[in-house]
Amino acid sequence: LRGAALVAEDGSSSLRILPVDIYGNNEQTTTFDVARGINAAVEAGARIINLSLGTDWSTPYLERMIASYHEQGVVFVGAAGNDPLPTPIFPAAYPQVVAVTAGSRGGTVADYANYGDFVDVVAPGASIVHWEDKTFLGSGTSYSAAYVSGITAGLASQTGSPLSQVEQEVR
């Protein structure tokens, strides 16, 4: 949860990114920290939450939290994982999360990306990132999920449609 896209309630075209750092100075985080980050983002007004992280085990607490916020109209977009296996990755594999995998230039699932019945969307899996006067090429389903989060926010802003309808269109 490196960031969450915000869409104004009135459907205006103002889009913002709300960074929510759940890692701090650590390379790993906990499910509790993920849940705290989701809660902080929703309390700050986020209506679309990008979950560019994952694990191969489900956590009932996190699943219930996501389901509850989803019922309240929050859209979740999650990275499907970077192992070329059909293994579900959570939280992307929860039914309330739009699970995104990475696509190749040829229009297939990228050779490094998870696939399977839990995946909802295929999106570009590489991006050029500019940071501290340097340029990097990054790849992975986290980039794909961020891309779909942005598309979802843009569609909601442009069309003024309810987020639930936009989520269905994206799926």
Side-chain angles (χ1 to χ4, degrees):
L1 186 67
R2 295 287 186 188
L6 281 172
V7 179
E9 288 288 333
D10 64 1
S12 69
S13 62
S14 177
L15 300 177
R16 298 178 297 156
I17 301 294
L18 171 67
V20 178
D21 184 2
I22 61 166
Y23 285 87
N25 293 325
N26 302 314
E27 289 185 24
Q28 296 182 348
T29 192
T30 67
T31 302
F32 181 74
D33 288 333
V34 173
R36 280 189 354 186
I38 290 170
N39 190 60
V42 172
E43 285 186 6
R47 307 305 295 159
I48 301 168
I49 297 183
N50 177 55
L51 297 166
S52 288
L53 47 76
T55 184
D56 57 359
W57 44 269
S58 177
T59 305
Y61 173 75
L62 188 59
E63 182 176 15
R64 284 191 305 271
M65 174 184 251
I66 288 172
S68 175
Y69 280 135
H70 187 261
E71 287 177 17
Q72 297 172 41
V74 176
V75 174
F76 292 89
V77 179
N82 298 320
D83 292 316
L85 301 168
T87 306
I89 295 298
F90 298 93
Y94 296 138
Q96 300 84 4
V97 179
V98 178
V100 185
T101 196
S104 70
R105 290 181 139 206
T108 61
V109 173
D111 60 2
Y112 57 81
N114 283 48
Y115 56 91
D117 293 342
F118 77 101
V119 173
D120 299 303
V121 178
V122 177
S127 182
I128 296 173
V129 177
H130 303 284
W131 186 62
E132 294 186 354
D133 297 324
K134 294 180 184 174
T135 303
F136 301 90
L137 174 63
S139 63
T141 61
S142 290
Y143 291 93
S144 306
Y147 182 86
V148 171
S149 295
I151 292 293
T152 303
L155 284 171
S157 177
Q158 185 178 46
T159 65
S161 299
L163 276 176
S164 59
Q165 181 179 338
V166 173
E167 178 186 354
Q168 289 309 311
E169 292 175 17
V170 168
R171 286 180 187 264

